[in-house]
Amino acid sequence: MDRFKDILVAASPGHLEPMTMRAAIMLADTNRARLTVIDVMEPMSRMRRFTTVEGQMVDVQAELMGHREQRLRQLVATTRAGDGIDVKVLVGEPFVEVIRHVLAHGNDLVIVGASEVAKWETPEFSSSEMHLLRKCPVPLWVMRPSQAEQLRILALVDPDAADPVRDSLNGLVLELATSLARREGGELHIGHAWELTGEATLRSSPYVQLPGEVVDVMVDTAEGVHREQLDLLLQRHDIEEIGAEVHLVGGEAGEVLPRLAEGLDAGLIVMGTVARTGISGLIVGNTAETILRSVRCSELALKPEEFVTPVKPAKTKGRADSLPE
């Protein structure tokens, strides 16, 4: 897999898991890619930033930035011998500065580390991670620790031949998932959820005069349409050689796809995150967000090539303008 050529690893404030650093280095080596590691420190007020000690002005923010940079450099040194990895500590709103770095330097993948989630725990994203999921213009890889001996990848697609932008996004999902499965020697699973919109109402409402047998036929027809669309998508991307297993599951996507991931013990989910397309800066779709909040494995979240982030490039170096929620 050689799609990624300029990878950005974004540390959580002041912290970066060694597992994330090792995985990022391995990915960069495989892709012969440039690798940059950044940490972002929120700016201190002037009253907190500067103090005078024995007649000498001390810049507390600069000292703390130096501390964070050295910690990152030590981590890089313990996971890889030699130079070649850029380490930076920036000042500003973390997610804004990460996206501005992408815009300024052309990074094509952002990696963030997240803590392992036990089976009894509810997955959580930090505020900065959610902003990145919604607004980062390039693929975002949220890495979580895994004890699995073999990587099992679940690619989630939502085929719609009438929507070329969504269709293109499905193609990107399959391309990346297939490449990763080949590189890692992992299993590839492809999942798609379908349902007859309003089935429960059609069956139970006193205002709907449809016999149950008719609704049954409508359900079967809907399943057939989704199966046909999925087959057409897979034929165009020729996944047979890798031996992927295809899962067409009935039900609301936000419910049945996380269950599919858990049942497969997936280590990585690859999926698109924008519900509707063609709108610049559109946030992550509700269904995609529900899925991302419900799974315990790593996630590679993609957006269409047409997506435009609402974050604007910095007007001056180090400045972090506020963004509306």
Side-chain angles (χ1 to χ4, degrees), residues 13 30 41 56 70 73 131 138 157 160 170 194 200 246 253 303:
T30 301
M41 180 176 175
Q56 181 179 359
Q70 289 307 311
R73 290 191 182 280
H131 278 299
V138 299
V157 295
D160 184 354
N170 287 323
W194 70 274
V246 179
K303 295 186 180 68

Side-chain angles (χ1 to χ4, degrees), residues 3 95-96 98-104 106-110 131-140 172 273-274 281 301-311:
R3 177 181 180 87
F95 83 93
V96 173
V98 169
I99 294 175
R100 283 179 172 169
H101 194 283
V102 169
L103 297 176
N107 307 111
D108 49 21
L109 173 67
V110 173
H131 278 299
L132 286 174
L133 282 167
R134 292 166 175 163
K135 298 163 186 170
C136 185
V138 299
L140 177 70
L172 179 58
T273 58
V274 174
L302 315 176
K303 295 186 180 68
E305 294 180 356
E306 294 80 0
F307 178 84
V308 178
T309 178
V311 176

Side-chain angles (χ1 to χ4, degrees), residues 28-66:
D29 287 344
T30 301
N31 286 264
R32 299 181 294 279
R34 178 183 177 186
L35 183 61
T36 304
V37 182
I38 67 170
D39 189 7
V40 183
M41 180 176 175
E42 295 194 12
M44 300 175 66
S45 67
R46 184 172 181 83
M47 182 178 67
R48 295 174 57 220
R49 175 175 176 177
F50 297 102
T51 186
T52 302
V53 179
E54 297 180 351
Q56 181 179 359
M57 182 71 72
V58 177
D59 187 339
V60 178
Q61 178 174 287
E63 295 296 328
L64 293 177
M65 290 176 66

Side-chain angles (χ1 to χ4, degrees), residues 219-239:
V219 170
D220 291 341
T221 300
E223 181 180 9
V225 169
H226 281 268
R227 186 178 299 278
E228 180 180 3
Q229 292 284 339
L230 181 59
D231 288 343
L232 289 173
L233 173 66
L234 299 182
Q235 289 170 13
R236 289 199 301 274
H237 294 279
D238 191 22
I239 63 157

Side-chain angles (χ1 to χ4, degrees), residues 148-155 176-190 242-245 247 263-270:
E149 295 183 359
Q150 182 184 35
L151 178 62
R152 186 171 291 121
I153 300 170
L154 174 60
L176 291 182
T178 301
S179 296
L180 285 168
R182 286 196 184 101
R183 178 175 66 83
E184 297 291 338
E187 293 181 14
L188 177 61
H189 296 258
I190 299 171
I242 201 170
E245 184 173 346
H247 306 266
L264 293 172
D265 194 22
L268 172 65
I269 286 179
V270 184

Side-chain angles (χ1 to χ4, degrees), residues 51-124:
T51 186
T52 302
V53 179
E54 297 180 351
Q56 181 179 359
M57 182 71 72
V58 177
D59 187 339
V60 178
Q61 178 174 287
E63 295 296 328
L64 293 177
M65 290 176 66
H67 166 73
R68 289 192 177 190
E69 181 176 341
Q70 289 307 311
R71 286 186 59 188
L72 288 182
R73 290 191 182 280
Q74 289 174 3
L75 176 59
V76 168
T78 61
T79 52
R80 175 178 182 170
D83 300 322
I85 300 177
D86 291 335
V87 176
K88 303 177 183 178
V89 177
L90 308 177
V91 177
E93 178 71 26
F95 83 93
V96 173
E97 296 307 317
V98 169
I99 294 175
R100 283 179 172 169
H101 194 283
V102 169
L103 297 176
H105 299 276
N107 307 111
D108 49 21
L109 173 67
V110 173
I111 296 176
V112 297
S115 59
E116 186 175 8
V117 181
K119 290 188 176 182
W120 59 86
E121 295 178 327
T122 301
E124 293 184 359

